[in-house]
Amino acid sequence: MSKGKGKVWRRFDYGNKAATAPPPHTLVWIVETYYERGVTLGYFDGFTMRTWVGSDDCRVTHWKKLKRPAMPELVGEEAGE
């Protein structure tokens, strides 16, 4: 596993959600092993994990914070000129 902010995969335990879930309603990377069987986006709704489309028909083993990209350089009217 990579170390550093946003680079660590965290284990999610359905039996210990309070200690292992990401912050509620925050989009994160998830490892889904039921249908997707790989890495996709998802979130914790305060009760269970869901895929990014809102389905709780999933089995999540790990999650990881999304890294926010830098803003693009603004030009012309976008830059307020």
Side-chain angles (χ1 to χ4, degrees):
M1 280 195 250
S2 299
K3 294 190 178 189
K5 186 176 181 181
K7 296 183 180 182
V8 177
W9 282 99
R10 299 167 192 252
R11 185 175 176 278
F12 177 70
D13 180 355
Y14 284 88
N16 190 9
K17 296 181 243 184
T20 63
H25 307 288
T26 301
L27 199 59
V28 294
W29 290 113
I30 59 171
V31 176
E32 202 283 309
T33 61
Y34 193 62
Y35 283 119
E36 297 287 331
R37 298 182 187 230
V39 175
T40 189
L41 294 170
Y43 63 95
F44 182 68
D45 69 2
F47 176 72
T48 194
M49 292 297 292
R50 295 184 175 273
T51 61
W52 70 278
V53 294
S55 174
D56 66 350
D57 196 9
C58 60
R59 182 76 184 162
V60 175
T61 61
H62 292 79
W63 64 273
K64 176 180 167 178
K65 290 182 180 180
L66 287 171
K67 182 178 179 185
R68 186 177 296 240
M71 284 285 292
E73 186 175 323
L74 301 178
V75 293
E77 279 190 33
E78 292 178 327
E81 295 175 354

